[in-house]
Amino acid sequence: MRGGFARPAIDLRHTLPLLLALVLALTLSGCGLFSPPAPVEAPPPVAASEPEPVASEPEVASAPEVASEPEVPSEAKAAPRKLHFPPIRHRRPAPPPPAPPSTPPAPAPAPLVTTRVLERGTYRTLLDSKVQKTDGKVVGRAVDLIAGPGGRPVQMIVNLQGFMGVGDRKAVFPWSAVRVNTQPTTPAITLALGPGQAPVPIVPKPGGGAQQPALDEPSPTRLPILDATIERANGAKVGRVVDVLLDAAAGPLAVVLDVSGTLESRQTIAAEWSALHFVTKNHTLRAELEMTEQQLDASPRYVADQPVRAVKPFAAESPAFNSRGAK
C-alpha cells in the first residue's frame, strides 16, 4: 500500500448523463451568442436652419487640363521615351556703349618743299658743256649764263679754244642763238648765229675815266649765274651756284646749289629756276631764294647722271618762265 490520499472511484453511470446535459445546454446557449444583433433605429434628423448667404470669393480659374497621354497596354512593352530638352537660347550681348567722341586727328604737317622730277634726256647741264657751230665743229665750252632783270637769260659766255690750249679766250654770244641738245651723245650746245650776231670778246676797254664793268662781272642789269651767291631777303646766305640745268628749248630749269658751306662735306641740291627772285641791291643785280635751313635739309640731294628732283619752297608762287625765260 502506497502513501498519500486515496482517489475516489468515479462511477460513469451517474456522471455520464450529467455531462451530456451540460454539453446540450452549452450548445443551445452558443446559438444565441452567434446570432446578429437586431438593428437599432437612428433618431430622426433635426431640421437645421439654413445659414445666411455669405459673399463667396471669386473663383480662381483652374489651370487648363493637359491631355493625358494614351495609355499603353500593359502587355506591350513601352518604348523608351526620348528626352526633349528645350533649346538653349543664348542671350545676345548688349551692344557696347558708343565711343565717346574723340578729337579729330591733327592734320598732317604741310611738306616743307615740293619737288619736280627731271628725267635724263630732258635736260643738259651748262657748265663745261661742249659748244659747236651748226656745221658740227666744236669751238669751245660753255662757262656761264648771263641773266638780266627778272631772270631772263640774255647771253652765254663761251671759252673759245685755241691750238693746244694756247690762245684760249672768252667771248659772249647772244642767248637767242643758243640751241640745246638733250641727247647725252651729242654736244650739249649749238650756236646758230644769224646776221649781225658775231661773238663779243671779253676784254677791258681802254681809255681814261671810270672803268666800265667787264661783260662777265655783275652790274645793275646783268648777273653772271655761275659762282653767284644766292641769298635770302634778309641777306643770309643760301648757297653758291655751281651749275645750271637747261631744257630742250634753251630755257633754264634749275640751278645746282652748293649748300654745304664747306669743301669737306659738300652737299648740293637742285632749286627750280622759277623759285629765284631777281632784285637790284647796292646797284647790283642779285638772285634770292627764300628757303629756310629746315627746307634745305629736307631737299633731296643732287646726284649727277641720275634723275634730278628740283625743289622749291612749299606753296611758293613764283613767276613761271617759258622756254626763253619770258614771263
Side-chain angles (χ1 to χ4, degrees), residues 18-88:
L18 293 174
L19 290 174
L20 293 174
L22 180 60
V23 171
L24 181 60
L26 291 174
T27 301
L28 294 176
S29 61
C31 293
L33 291 174
F34 290 103
S35 59
V40 180
E41 294 182 358
V46 179
S49 62
E50 296 182 359
E52 297 180 359
V54 181
S56 62
E57 297 182 357
E59 295 183 359
V60 180
S62 60
E65 296 182 359
V66 180
S68 60
E69 297 181 357
E71 296 182 358
V72 181
S74 58
E75 292 81 9
K77 185 178 180 180
R81 296 178 60 187
K82 293 183 179 180
L83 298 179
H84 296 279
F85 297 97
I88 300 175

Short mmCIF file of all heavy atoms in Angstrom, two decimals, residues 18-88:
data_model
loop_
_atom_site.label_atom_id
_atom_site.label_comp_id
_atom_site.label_asym_id
_atom_site.label_seq_id
_atom_site.Cartn_x
_atom_site.Cartn_y
_atom_site.Cartn_z
N LEU A 18 -24.94 13.51 -16.66
CA LEU A 18 -24.73 14.91 -16.29
C LEU A 18 -23.88 15.65 -17.36
O LEU A 18 -24.13 16.77 -17.71
CB LEU A 18 -24.04 15.00 -14.93
CG LEU A 18 -24.89 14.51 -13.73
CD1 LEU A 18 -24.06 14.51 -12.44
CD2 LEU A 18 -26.15 15.36 -13.53
N LEU A 19 -22.91 14.92 -17.90
CA LEU A 19 -22.05 15.55 -18.91
C LEU A 19 -22.83 15.82 -20.19
O LEU A 19 -22.66 16.85 -20.84
CB LEU A 19 -20.85 14.63 -19.21
CG LEU A 19 -19.80 14.48 -18.08
CD1 LEU A 19 -18.76 13.45 -18.42
CD2 LEU A 19 -19.16 15.81 -17.75
N LEU A 20 -23.66 14.93 -20.55
CA LEU A 20 -24.44 15.13 -21.75
C LEU A 20 -25.38 16.33 -21.60
O LEU A 20 -25.55 17.11 -22.54
CB LEU A 20 -25.24 13.86 -22.10
CG LEU A 20 -24.39 12.64 -22.54
CD1 LEU A 20 -25.32 11.42 -22.71
CD2 LEU A 20 -23.67 12.92 -23.82
N ALA A 21 -26.00 16.45 -20.43
CA ALA A 21 -26.91 17.57 -20.20
C ALA A 21 -26.15 18.87 -20.23
O ALA A 21 -26.62 19.90 -20.76
CB ALA A 21 -27.61 17.40 -18.87
N LEU A 22 -24.91 18.85 -19.78
CA LEU A 22 -24.10 20.07 -19.76
C LEU A 22 -23.71 20.47 -21.18
O LEU A 22 -23.76 21.65 -21.56
CB LEU A 22 -22.83 19.84 -18.90
CG LEU A 22 -21.89 21.05 -18.80
CD1 LEU A 22 -22.61 22.26 -18.18
CD2 LEU A 22 -20.66 20.72 -17.93
N VAL A 23 -23.34 19.49 -21.98
CA VAL A 23 -22.95 19.79 -23.38
C VAL A 23 -24.15 20.34 -24.14
O VAL A 23 -24.03 21.26 -24.94
CB VAL A 23 -22.40 18.52 -24.06
CG1 VAL A 23 -22.20 18.77 -25.56
CG2 VAL A 23 -21.07 18.12 -23.42
N LEU A 24 -25.37 19.79 -23.90
CA LEU A 24 -26.56 20.25 -24.60
C LEU A 24 -26.87 21.69 -24.23
O LEU A 24 -27.23 22.51 -25.08
CB LEU A 24 -27.75 19.31 -24.29
CG LEU A 24 -29.07 19.67 -24.97
CD1 LEU A 24 -28.94 19.64 -26.47
CD2 LEU A 24 -30.19 18.68 -24.53
N ALA A 25 -26.75 21.99 -22.95
CA ALA A 25 -27.05 23.37 -22.52
C ALA A 25 -26.07 24.35 -23.14
O ALA A 25 -26.43 25.45 -23.55
CB ALA A 25 -26.97 23.43 -20.99
N LEU A 26 -24.83 23.91 -23.22
CA LEU A 26 -23.84 24.83 -23.84
C LEU A 26 -24.11 25.06 -25.32
O LEU A 26 -23.92 26.13 -25.86
CB LEU A 26 -22.42 24.28 -23.65
CG LEU A 26 -21.86 24.28 -22.21
CD1 LEU A 26 -20.53 23.57 -22.14
CD2 LEU A 26 -21.74 25.69 -21.67
N THR A 27 -24.56 24.02 -25.99
CA THR A 27 -24.84 24.16 -27.43
C THR A 27 -25.96 25.13 -27.66
O THR A 27 -25.94 25.95 -28.56
CB THR A 27 -25.19 22.78 -28.01
OG1 THR A 27 -24.07 21.90 -27.78
CG2 THR A 27 -25.43 22.88 -29.49
N LEU A 28 -27.03 25.04 -26.86
CA LEU A 28 -28.17 25.93 -27.03
C LEU A 28 -27.79 27.38 -26.73
O LEU A 28 -28.24 28.30 -27.40
CB LEU A 28 -29.33 25.47 -26.14
CG LEU A 28 -29.95 24.09 -26.52
CD1 LEU A 28 -31.03 23.70 -25.48
CD2 LEU A 28 -30.60 24.13 -27.89
N SER A 29 -27.02 27.53 -25.69
CA SER A 29 -26.63 28.91 -25.36
C SER A 29 -25.69 29.50 -26.42
O SER A 29 -25.67 30.68 -26.71
CB SER A 29 -25.94 28.94 -23.99
OG SER A 29 -24.76 28.14 -24.01
N GLY A 30 -24.91 28.65 -27.07
CA GLY A 30 -23.97 29.15 -28.12
C GLY A 30 -24.70 29.63 -29.33
O GLY A 30 -24.27 30.55 -30.03
N CYS A 31 -25.83 29.08 -29.69
CA CYS A 31 -26.56 29.58 -30.87
C CYS A 31 -27.05 30.98 -30.66
O CYS A 31 -27.09 31.79 -31.59
CB CYS A 31 -27.75 28.64 -31.15
SG CYS A 31 -27.19 26.99 -31.69
N GLY A 32 -27.43 31.32 -29.46
CA GLY A 32 -27.87 32.70 -29.19
C GLY A 32 -26.73 33.70 -29.20
O GLY A 32 -26.90 34.85 -29.54
N LEU A 33 -25.64 33.25 -28.84
CA LEU A 33 -24.48 34.17 -28.82
C LEU A 33 -24.04 34.57 -30.23
O LEU A 33 -23.63 35.67 -30.51
CB LEU A 33 -23.30 33.54 -28.06
CG LEU A 33 -23.51 33.38 -26.53
CD1 LEU A 33 -22.34 32.62 -25.92
CD2 LEU A 33 -23.69 34.71 -25.85
N PHE A 34 -24.06 33.62 -31.20
CA PHE A 34 -23.56 33.88 -32.56
C PHE A 34 -24.59 34.48 -33.49
O PHE A 34 -24.31 34.78 -34.61
CB PHE A 34 -23.04 32.56 -33.18
CG PHE A 34 -21.76 32.09 -32.52
CD1 PHE A 34 -21.80 31.04 -31.59
CD2 PHE A 34 -20.56 32.70 -32.82
CE1 PHE A 34 -20.63 30.59 -30.99
CE2 PHE A 34 -19.42 32.23 -32.20
CZ PHE A 34 -19.42 31.18 -31.27
N SER A 35 -25.86 34.69 -33.10
CA SER A 35 -26.88 35.32 -33.96
C SER A 35 -26.63 36.81 -34.00
O SER A 35 -26.26 37.40 -32.98
CB SER A 35 -28.28 35.02 -33.43
OG SER A 35 -28.40 35.51 -32.11
N PRO A 36 -26.85 37.56 -35.20
CA PRO A 36 -26.58 39.02 -35.31
C PRO A 36 -27.55 39.80 -34.48
O PRO A 36 -28.72 39.43 -34.36
CB PRO A 36 -26.76 39.29 -36.81
CG PRO A 36 -27.62 38.19 -37.32
CD PRO A 36 -27.31 37.00 -36.50
N PRO A 37 -27.09 40.91 -33.91
CA PRO A 37 -27.98 41.71 -33.06
C PRO A 37 -29.00 42.42 -33.90
O PRO A 37 -28.81 42.67 -35.09
CB PRO A 37 -27.02 42.68 -32.38
CG PRO A 37 -25.85 42.81 -33.32
CD PRO A 37 -25.72 41.46 -33.94
N ALA A 38 -30.09 42.81 -33.32
CA ALA A 38 -31.19 43.49 -34.00
C ALA A 38 -30.75 44.90 -34.33
O ALA A 38 -30.06 45.53 -33.54
CB ALA A 38 -32.43 43.50 -33.10
N PRO A 39 -31.11 45.44 -35.52
CA PRO A 39 -30.71 46.81 -35.90
C PRO A 39 -31.36 47.83 -35.01
O PRO A 39 -32.51 47.69 -34.62
CB PRO A 39 -31.19 46.92 -37.34
CG PRO A 39 -32.28 45.92 -37.48
CD PRO A 39 -31.94 44.79 -36.57
N VAL A 40 -30.54 48.84 -34.72
CA VAL A 40 -31.02 49.92 -33.84
C VAL A 40 -31.45 51.06 -34.74
O VAL A 40 -30.69 51.50 -35.62
CB VAL A 40 -29.90 50.38 -32.89
CG1 VAL A 40 -30.41 51.49 -31.99
CG2 VAL A 40 -29.42 49.19 -32.06
N GLU A 41 -32.64 51.58 -34.56
CA GLU A 41 -33.17 52.66 -35.40
C GLU A 41 -32.51 53.96 -34.99
O GLU A 41 -32.40 54.28 -33.80
CB GLU A 41 -34.67 52.77 -35.26
CG GLU A 41 -35.42 51.57 -35.80
CD GLU A 41 -36.92 51.73 -35.67
OE1 GLU A 41 -37.32 52.79 -35.12
OE2 GLU A 41 -37.65 50.86 -36.13
N ALA A 42 -32.07 54.70 -36.03
CA ALA A 42 -31.43 56.01 -35.77
C ALA A 42 -32.48 57.04 -35.51
O ALA A 42 -33.57 56.99 -36.09
CB ALA A 42 -30.58 56.43 -36.99
N PRO A 43 -32.24 58.00 -34.65
CA PRO A 43 -33.22 59.05 -34.36
C PRO A 43 -33.43 59.92 -35.59
O PRO A 43 -32.55 60.06 -36.42
CB PRO A 43 -32.59 59.82 -33.21
CG PRO A 43 -31.12 59.59 -33.35
CD PRO A 43 -31.00 58.21 -33.87
N PRO A 44 -34.63 60.46 -35.80
CA PRO A 44 -34.91 61.31 -36.98
C PRO A 44 -34.03 62.56 -36.97
O PRO A 44 -33.71 63.08 -35.91
CB PRO A 44 -36.39 61.65 -36.82
CG PRO A 44 -36.65 61.52 -35.36
CD PRO A 44 -35.78 60.41 -34.87
N PRO A 45 -33.58 62.99 -38.17
CA PRO A 45 -32.68 64.19 -38.22
C PRO A 45 -33.42 65.43 -37.81
O PRO A 45 -34.60 65.60 -38.08
CB PRO A 45 -32.27 64.25 -39.69
CG PRO A 45 -33.35 63.55 -40.43
CD PRO A 45 -33.87 62.47 -39.51
N VAL A 46 -32.67 66.24 -37.12
CA VAL A 46 -33.24 67.51 -36.65
C VAL A 46 -33.04 68.54 -37.74
O VAL A 46 -31.94 68.71 -38.28
CB VAL A 46 -32.54 67.96 -35.35
CG1 VAL A 46 -33.12 69.30 -34.89
CG2 VAL A 46 -32.68 66.90 -34.29
N ALA A 47 -34.08 69.26 -38.14
CA ALA A 47 -34.01 70.26 -39.21
C ALA A 47 -33.22 71.45 -38.74
O ALA A 47 -33.58 72.09 -37.76
CB ALA A 47 -35.43 70.69 -39.61
N ALA A 48 -32.11 71.70 -39.44
CA ALA A 48 -31.25 72.86 -39.06
C ALA A 48 -31.61 74.05 -39.91
O ALA A 48 -31.94 73.92 -41.09
CB ALA A 48 -29.78 72.51 -39.26
N SER A 49 -31.58 75.20 -39.31
CA SER A 49 -31.90 76.43 -40.05
C SER A 49 -30.79 76.74 -41.04
O SER A 49 -29.60 76.56 -40.78
CB SER A 49 -32.07 77.59 -39.07
OG SER A 49 -30.85 77.80 -38.38
N GLU A 50 -31.21 77.15 -42.28
CA GLU A 50 -30.22 77.44 -43.34
C GLU A 50 -29.43 78.68 -42.95
O GLU A 50 -29.94 79.68 -42.54
CB GLU A 50 -30.93 77.70 -44.67
CG GLU A 50 -31.66 76.48 -45.18
CD GLU A 50 -32.29 76.77 -46.51
OE1 GLU A 50 -32.15 77.93 -46.97
OE2 GLU A 50 -32.91 75.85 -47.11
N PRO A 51 -28.09 78.63 -43.15
CA PRO A 51 -27.26 79.81 -42.82
C PRO A 51 -27.44 80.91 -43.85
O PRO A 51 -27.81 80.68 -44.98
CB PRO A 51 -25.83 79.26 -42.85
CG PRO A 51 -25.90 78.11 -43.80
CD PRO A 51 -27.28 77.51 -43.61
N GLU A 52 -27.21 82.13 -43.41
CA GLU A 52 -27.33 83.28 -44.31
C GLU A 52 -26.25 83.20 -45.39
O GLU A 52 -25.12 82.79 -45.14
CB GLU A 52 -27.19 84.58 -43.53
CG GLU A 52 -28.29 84.77 -42.50
CD GLU A 52 -28.11 86.06 -41.75
OE1 GLU A 52 -27.11 86.76 -42.07
OE2 GLU A 52 -28.94 86.40 -40.89
N PRO A 53 -26.62 83.57 -46.61
CA PRO A 53 -25.62 83.51 -47.70
C PRO A 53 -24.48 84.49 -47.44
O PRO A 53 -24.70 85.63 -47.05
CB PRO A 53 -26.43 83.90 -48.93
CG PRO A 53 -27.58 84.69 -48.42
CD PRO A 53 -27.93 84.13 -47.08
N VAL A 54 -23.30 83.98 -47.62
CA VAL A 54 -22.08 84.80 -47.42
C VAL A 54 -21.47 85.06 -48.80
O VAL A 54 -21.40 84.18 -49.66
CB VAL A 54 -21.06 84.07 -46.52
CG1 VAL A 54 -19.82 84.94 -46.31
CG2 VAL A 54 -21.72 83.72 -45.21
N ALA A 55 -20.96 86.29 -48.99
CA ALA A 55 -20.33 86.64 -50.29
C ALA A 55 -19.15 85.74 -50.54
O ALA A 55 -18.21 85.69 -49.75
CB ALA A 55 -19.89 88.11 -50.28
N SER A 56 -19.30 84.97 -51.57
CA SER A 56 -18.24 84.00 -51.86
C SER A 56 -17.08 84.70 -52.56
O SER A 56 -17.26 85.70 -53.24
CB SER A 56 -18.80 82.89 -52.76
OG SER A 56 -19.22 83.45 -53.99
N GLU A 57 -15.92 84.17 -52.36
CA GLU A 57 -14.72 84.73 -53.01
C GLU A 57 -14.75 84.38 -54.49
O GLU A 57 -15.32 83.37 -54.88
CB GLU A 57 -13.48 84.14 -52.37
CG GLU A 57 -13.35 84.52 -50.90
CD GLU A 57 -12.07 83.94 -50.33
OE1 GLU A 57 -11.40 83.24 -51.08
OE2 GLU A 57 -11.76 84.20 -49.16
N PRO A 58 -14.11 85.21 -55.32
CA PRO A 58 -14.11 84.90 -56.77
C PRO A 58 -13.37 83.61 -57.01
O PRO A 58 -12.35 83.32 -56.40
CB PRO A 58 -13.37 86.10 -57.38
CG PRO A 58 -12.57 86.68 -56.27
CD PRO A 58 -13.38 86.45 -55.03
N GLU A 59 -14.02 82.84 -57.86
CA GLU A 59 -13.41 81.56 -58.17
C GLU A 59 -12.10 81.75 -58.95
O GLU A 59 -12.01 82.59 -59.82
CB GLU A 59 -14.38 80.72 -59.02
CG GLU A 59 -15.64 80.36 -58.27
CD GLU A 59 -16.53 79.48 -59.12
OE1 GLU A 59 -16.12 79.21 -60.27
OE2 GLU A 59 -17.59 79.08 -58.65
N VAL A 60 -11.16 80.98 -58.60
CA VAL A 60 -9.85 81.03 -59.27
C VAL A 60 -9.90 80.10 -60.44
O VAL A 60 -10.28 78.93 -60.30
CB VAL A 60 -8.72 80.62 -58.29
CG1 VAL A 60 -7.37 80.68 -59.01
CG2 VAL A 60 -8.73 81.53 -57.07
N ALA A 61 -9.53 80.66 -61.60
CA ALA A 61 -9.56 79.82 -62.80
C ALA A 61 -8.57 78.71 -62.66
O ALA A 61 -7.42 78.91 -62.29
CB ALA A 61 -9.24 80.67 -64.04
N SER A 62 -9.07 77.57 -62.90
CA SER A 62 -8.20 76.40 -62.78
C SER A 62 -7.32 76.29 -64.01
O SER A 62 -7.66 76.77 -65.08
CB SER A 62 -9.04 75.13 -62.61
OG SER A 62 -9.88 74.97 -63.74
N ALA A 63 -6.20 75.70 -63.83
CA ALA A 63 -5.26 75.51 -64.94
C ALA A 63 -5.88 74.61 -65.98
O ALA A 63 -6.62 73.70 -65.67
CB ALA A 63 -3.96 74.90 -64.41
N PRO A 64 -5.60 74.90 -67.26
CA PRO A 64 -6.18 74.04 -68.31
C PRO A 64 -5.67 72.63 -68.17
O PRO A 64 -4.53 72.38 -67.82
CB PRO A 64 -5.69 74.70 -69.60
CG PRO A 64 -4.47 75.46 -69.22
CD PRO A 64 -4.73 75.94 -67.81
N GLU A 65 -6.62 71.75 -68.40
CA GLU A 65 -6.27 70.34 -68.27
C GLU A 65 -5.36 69.94 -69.42
O GLU A 65 -5.52 70.36 -70.56
CB GLU A 65 -7.54 69.49 -68.31
CG GLU A 65 -8.47 69.74 -67.12
CD GLU A 65 -9.69 68.83 -67.19
OE1 GLU A 65 -9.76 68.05 -68.17
OE2 GLU A 65 -10.52 68.88 -66.28
N VAL A 66 -4.40 69.20 -69.08
CA VAL A 66 -3.43 68.72 -70.06
C VAL A 66 -3.87 67.35 -70.52
O VAL A 66 -4.17 66.48 -69.70
CB VAL A 66 -2.01 68.67 -69.44
CG1 VAL A 66 -1.02 68.17 -70.47
CG2 VAL A 66 -1.63 70.03 -68.90
N ALA A 67 -3.94 67.24 -71.78
CA ALA A 67 -4.38 65.95 -72.32
C ALA A 67 -3.40 64.88 -71.92
O ALA A 67 -2.18 65.03 -72.10
CB ALA A 67 -4.48 66.02 -73.84
N SER A 68 -3.94 63.90 -71.31
CA SER A 68 -3.07 62.80 -70.84
C SER A 68 -2.68 61.94 -72.02
O SER A 68 -3.38 61.85 -73.02
CB SER A 68 -3.81 61.97 -69.79
OG SER A 68 -4.98 61.41 -70.37
N GLU A 69 -1.51 61.39 -71.93
CA GLU A 69 -1.02 60.53 -72.99
C GLU A 69 -1.85 59.25 -73.03
O GLU A 69 -2.33 58.77 -72.01
CB GLU A 69 0.44 60.20 -72.74
CG GLU A 69 1.34 61.43 -72.77
CD GLU A 69 2.78 61.03 -72.55
OE1 GLU A 69 3.01 59.81 -72.32
OE2 GLU A 69 3.66 61.91 -72.60
N PRO A 70 -2.05 58.73 -74.21
CA PRO A 70 -2.84 57.48 -74.30
C PRO A 70 -2.15 56.35 -73.55
O PRO A 70 -0.92 56.25 -73.52
CB PRO A 70 -2.88 57.22 -75.80
CG PRO A 70 -1.70 57.96 -76.36
CD PRO A 70 -1.55 59.18 -75.49
N GLU A 71 -3.03 55.61 -72.90
CA GLU A 71 -2.49 54.51 -72.11
C GLU A 71 -1.96 53.41 -73.04
O GLU A 71 -2.51 53.13 -74.09
CB GLU A 71 -3.59 53.92 -71.22
CG GLU A 71 -4.12 54.93 -70.18
CD GLU A 71 -5.18 54.28 -69.31
OE1 GLU A 71 -5.49 53.10 -69.55
OE2 GLU A 71 -5.67 54.94 -68.37
N VAL A 72 -0.86 52.94 -72.64
CA VAL A 72 -0.22 51.87 -73.40
C VAL A 72 -0.63 50.54 -72.78
O VAL A 72 -0.60 50.39 -71.55
CB VAL A 72 1.30 52.03 -73.37
CG1 VAL A 72 1.97 50.94 -74.17
CG2 VAL A 72 1.68 53.40 -73.91
N PRO A 73 -1.10 49.63 -73.57
CA PRO A 73 -1.47 48.33 -72.98
C PRO A 73 -0.33 47.74 -72.18
O PRO A 73 0.85 47.87 -72.54
CB PRO A 73 -1.81 47.47 -74.19
CG PRO A 73 -2.07 48.44 -75.30
CD PRO A 73 -1.27 49.65 -75.01
N SER A 74 -0.73 47.16 -71.09
CA SER A 74 0.30 46.60 -70.20
C SER A 74 1.02 45.45 -70.86
O SER A 74 2.16 45.15 -70.53
CB SER A 74 -0.35 46.13 -68.89
OG SER A 74 -1.36 45.17 -69.17
N GLU A 75 0.34 44.80 -71.84
CA GLU A 75 1.01 43.66 -72.46
C GLU A 75 2.17 44.10 -73.35
O GLU A 75 3.21 43.44 -73.41
CB GLU A 75 -0.01 42.85 -73.30
CG GLU A 75 -1.09 42.13 -72.50
CD GLU A 75 -2.20 43.08 -72.13
OE1 GLU A 75 -2.17 44.23 -72.68
OE2 GLU A 75 -3.07 42.73 -71.35
N ALA A 76 1.94 45.28 -74.08
CA ALA A 76 3.01 45.74 -74.97
C ALA A 76 4.10 46.43 -74.17
O ALA A 76 3.82 47.18 -73.25
CB ALA A 76 2.43 46.71 -76.01
N LYS A 77 5.30 46.18 -74.60
CA LYS A 77 6.44 46.76 -73.89
C LYS A 77 6.58 48.22 -74.34
O LYS A 77 6.68 48.51 -75.52
CB LYS A 77 7.69 45.98 -74.22
CG LYS A 77 8.91 46.43 -73.43
CD LYS A 77 10.11 45.57 -73.77
CE LYS A 77 11.32 46.03 -72.97
NZ LYS A 77 12.51 45.21 -73.29
N ALA A 78 6.56 49.14 -73.37
CA ALA A 78 6.64 50.56 -73.70
C ALA A 78 8.01 50.91 -74.24
O ALA A 78 9.03 50.51 -73.67
CB ALA A 78 6.33 51.40 -72.46
N ALA A 79 8.01 51.66 -75.39
CA ALA A 79 9.30 52.09 -75.96
C ALA A 79 9.90 53.18 -75.10
O ALA A 79 9.18 53.98 -74.51
CB ALA A 79 9.08 52.60 -77.38
N PRO A 80 11.21 53.23 -75.03
CA PRO A 80 11.84 54.28 -74.19
C PRO A 80 11.55 55.66 -74.77
O PRO A 80 11.67 55.88 -75.98
CB PRO A 80 13.32 53.94 -74.26
CG PRO A 80 13.49 53.13 -75.49
CD PRO A 80 12.22 52.36 -75.64
N ARG A 81 11.19 56.53 -73.96
CA ARG A 81 10.86 57.89 -74.39
C ARG A 81 12.14 58.69 -74.59
O ARG A 81 13.08 58.62 -73.81
CB ARG A 81 9.98 58.58 -73.34
CG ARG A 81 8.63 57.91 -73.16
CD ARG A 81 7.85 58.63 -72.08
NE ARG A 81 7.65 60.04 -72.44
CZ ARG A 81 7.12 60.93 -71.60
NH1 ARG A 81 6.76 60.56 -70.38
NH2 ARG A 81 6.97 62.17 -71.96
N LYS A 82 12.15 59.47 -75.70
CA LYS A 82 13.29 60.34 -75.96
C LYS A 82 13.16 61.60 -75.13
O LYS A 82 12.10 62.17 -75.00
CB LYS A 82 13.35 60.71 -77.45
CG LYS A 82 13.65 59.54 -78.36
CD LYS A 82 13.75 60.01 -79.81
CE LYS A 82 14.07 58.85 -80.73
NZ LYS A 82 14.18 59.29 -82.14
N LEU A 83 14.28 61.97 -74.61
CA LEU A 83 14.29 63.17 -73.80
C LEU A 83 14.39 64.39 -74.71
O LEU A 83 15.26 64.47 -75.59
CB LEU A 83 15.47 63.15 -72.84
CG LEU A 83 15.47 61.99 -71.83
CD1 LEU A 83 16.71 62.07 -70.95
CD2 LEU A 83 14.22 62.03 -70.96
N HIS A 84 13.47 65.28 -74.55
CA HIS A 84 13.47 66.51 -75.33
C HIS A 84 13.88 67.65 -74.42
O HIS A 84 13.17 67.96 -73.46
CB HIS A 84 12.07 66.77 -75.94
CG HIS A 84 11.65 65.71 -76.91
ND1 HIS A 84 12.07 65.69 -78.23
CD2 HIS A 84 10.84 64.62 -76.75
CE1 HIS A 84 11.56 64.66 -78.85
NE2 HIS A 84 10.80 63.98 -77.97
N PHE A 85 15.02 68.21 -74.77
CA PHE A 85 15.49 69.34 -73.97
C PHE A 85 15.10 70.63 -74.67
O PHE A 85 15.16 70.74 -75.90
CB PHE A 85 17.02 69.31 -73.82
CG PHE A 85 17.50 68.09 -73.09
CD1 PHE A 85 17.96 66.99 -73.78
CD2 PHE A 85 17.49 68.07 -71.71
CE1 PHE A 85 18.41 65.87 -73.11
CE2 PHE A 85 17.95 66.95 -71.03
CZ PHE A 85 18.40 65.85 -71.73
N PRO A 86 14.69 71.61 -73.95
CA PRO A 86 14.34 72.89 -74.56
C PRO A 86 15.58 73.52 -75.20
O PRO A 86 16.69 73.37 -74.70
CB PRO A 86 13.82 73.74 -73.39
CG PRO A 86 14.44 73.12 -72.18
CD PRO A 86 14.56 71.65 -72.48
N PRO A 87 15.41 74.17 -76.35
CA PRO A 87 16.57 74.80 -77.00
C PRO A 87 17.18 75.87 -76.11
O PRO A 87 16.47 76.61 -75.42
CB PRO A 87 15.99 75.39 -78.29
CG PRO A 87 14.53 75.58 -77.98
CD PRO A 87 14.16 74.46 -77.06
N ILE A 88 18.48 75.87 -76.17
CA ILE A 88 19.21 76.86 -75.36
C ILE A 88 19.30 78.16 -76.15
O ILE A 88 19.82 78.18 -77.26
CB ILE A 88 20.61 76.35 -75.00
CG1 ILE A 88 20.50 75.04 -74.21
CG2 ILE A 88 21.39 77.40 -74.22
CD1 ILE A 88 21.84 74.41 -73.91
#
